[in-house]
Amino acid sequence: MSQGVDADASLLEASDEVLLRQVHPDQFPNGVLSKVAFFPSPRDQGLLSTRRNRVGAEQACLDWRASSRESVGTWGVSVGEFKGVDVAAYDDSHLPGQPAGHASADFTSYDRAKQVQKGRKLREKAKARGRLFPADQDETAEADTSEPAITDPVVRDRESSDSDGPRTV
Amino acid sequence: MTETLTKTVGMVILVAAPLTFTMPMTRAVADVPVVQHLTEGTRSGGVPTSWWGTMVSTTAGYVPAPSFLIKGEASNEREAAMTRRIGDLARLQDGWLGDGSFAPSPAVTTWLASHAAQICQANEDVVLVPTGDGTVVLEWNIAAVEYTAELGPSDMLLVIDDTATDALTEASTSLDEEALLRFLATGLIE
């Protein structure tokens, strides 16, 4: 168990389970998926926040939006792909404030540059899988940054008053 | 006497003419800063304005000034787009990326705004991406290499990630305008 993960968190073993990650419009500049969306911030204590596959790509996105946060959609990285870059994933949904089916990918063993590199590799996996919700219709769908069903431009300028929501997903 | 003088002048011309064409070219090549993306020919790129005079003067008459040295409508548009993007980042509020996340530090966005033109001139492909820590990441790629500069209020992390070999080069320093602009232009960490 890594120092960054709660002692009661359970290691995810099923390599084919796809963990769900929301991507903020500002981390999708010009319709390009940034690696920044796939490595954690120091304020996350080295843990990248995701939802488990059973939550569903659509529900994960709707939950995120319900907290008045923006998302251009849900992307996915499998537990096996995390393992492929030596990052373990844990179910830590028992922690206070976390939504059901929350999972954290543990980057705590790596310095910032390594995290950046792993983020790049995970982004490539997510990109290859394609956006899960709303599903990409074709190759050009990713370039469409004005997704009306997900992005609410009003939210961008809204004062953040939703601090009681889940930490991040 | 006249015949001897003519022969002498002729010899000088014969010897000097080839040098006239070869020496300046050799010197020009030696003086031009090594710009990785120019030598690789993978992108049009840009160089710091402080180098423009060197490049143009040493190569004048032999190598035409690259089109990116001529500041025109396209670069103005890039600069305007960069300024808009920085403005968008500056409008983010704490909590934008979830509970406890920080908006980009005003010190970072102010610095970026005051250097927008130089950043655009140094690298026309760079994109700005905020993190939840108040830093801003500048990222771009050239062929199989990904470049990252993460800027904090007083420090920066520069990363070169070769996606073909996974070779990783990094430097963490205090915020250094010259080093950053050079990194943006050349992809080199000194």
Side-chain angles (χ1 to χ4, degrees):
Chain A
M1 181 71 64
S2 161
Q3 59 176 0
V5 178
D6 184 81
D8 292 329
S10 54
L11 178 66
L12 299 180
E13 302 278 9
S15 292
D16 59 348
E17 179 178 356
V18 175
L19 301 179
L20 309 170
R21 175 77 179 163
Q22 300 306 307
V23 175
H24 191 278
D26 277 305
Q27 296 185 338
F28 193 63
N30 306 321
V32 177
L33 196 56
S34 171
K35 61 180 174 286
V36 175
F38 294 92
F39 61 84
S41 299
R43 59 128 192 148
D44 291 325
Q45 298 171 325
L47 302 177
L48 184 74
S49 192
T50 70
R51 298 291 291 280
R52 296 195 62 178
N53 191 57
R54 65 171 181 261
V55 174
E58 180 174 1
Q59 189 59 49
C61 190
L62 296 176
D63 287 351
W64 176 261
R65 292 191 70 216
S67 301
S68 298
R69 296 178 181 116
E70 289 184 88
S71 170
V72 288
T74 305
W75 272 261
V77 178
S78 74
V79 171
E81 288 163 346
F82 277 111
K83 286 179 184 172
V85 295
D86 297 318
V87 170
Y90 298 84
D91 185 318
D92 56 1
S93 51
H94 65 286
L95 292 173
Q98 298 293 29
H102 187 271
S104 291
D106 182 8
F107 287 70
T108 54
S109 301
Y110 305 105
D111 65 20
R112 189 65 164 168
K114 273 285 185 189
Q115 291 182 1
V116 168
Q117 185 179 57
K118 290 178 188 298
R120 181 263 296 172
K121 292 179 178 181
L122 295 170
R123 178 207 54 203
E124 291 308 309
K125 299 295 184 186
K127 200 171 167 183
R129 182 168 283 108
R131 186 169 55 182
L132 304 178
F133 180 81
D136 284 329
Q137 298 300 309
D138 54 44
E139 295 265 332
T140 60
E142 190 176 285
D144 179 10
T145 58
S146 57
E147 174 54 60
I150 300 302
T151 304
D152 180 0
V154 174
V155 174
R156 178 187 295 274
D157 296 321
R158 187 182 299 167
E159 187 71 25
S160 178
S161 58
D162 54 337
S163 57
D164 55 344
R167 182 180 67 183
T168 181
V169 176
Chain B
M1 178 66 179
T2 306
E3 188 177 342
T4 304
L5 184 62
T6 303
K7 281 181 181 176
T8 303
V9 170
M11 288 292 286
V12 168
I13 290 173
L14 279 173
V15 171
L19 293 176
T20 304
F21 288 101
T22 57
M23 289 179 66
M25 180 64 83
T26 305
R27 181 172 177 273
V29 170
D31 285 353
V32 174
V34 176
V35 181
Q36 190 177 4
H37 53 253
L38 290 179
T39 55
E40 289 180 348
T42 53
R43 58 191 287 274
S44 56
V47 295
T49 48
S50 59
W51 295 358
W52 289 15
T54 306
M55 288 194 70
V56 174
S57 65
T58 54
T59 60
Y62 302 97
V63 180
S67 58
F68 63 80
L69 293 182
I70 303 166
K71 184 170 180 175
E73 195 174 327
S75 66
N76 287 334
E77 287 175 6
R78 282 197 299 276
E79 190 176 324
M82 173 73 71
T83 300
R84 282 195 301 274
R85 175 67 173 151
I86 295 166
D88 287 343
L89 300 184
R91 280 188 285 277
L92 288 173
Q93 302 286 327
D94 285 348
W96 69 281
L97 197 58
D99 215 17
S101 60
F102 295 107
S105 161
V108 174
T109 52
T110 300
W111 190 92
L112 286 169
S114 65
H115 291 79
Q118 292 158 284
I119 292 169
C120 286
Q121 286 159 8
N123 188 317
E124 65 184 29
D125 296 327
V126 67
V127 294
L128 275 53
V129 185
T131 75
D133 295 308
T135 63
V136 173
V137 164
L138 286 67
E139 60 180 1
W140 72 100
N141 68 285
I142 299 172
V145 181
E146 288 216 8
Y147 299 88
T148 305
E150 183 174 12
L151 307 187
S154 60
D155 55 5
M156 64 182 188
L157 171 68
L158 309 180
V159 179
I160 302 172
D161 178 11
D162 187 329
T163 67
T165 64
D166 278 351
L168 200 59
T169 307
E170 62 182 289
S172 185
T173 67
S174 57
L175 189 56
D176 182 328
E177 174 183 338
E178 188 176 338
L180 176 61
L181 291 174
R182 187 170 290 265
F183 181 56
L184 284 164
T186 66
L188 299 174
I189 296 175
E190 295 178 358

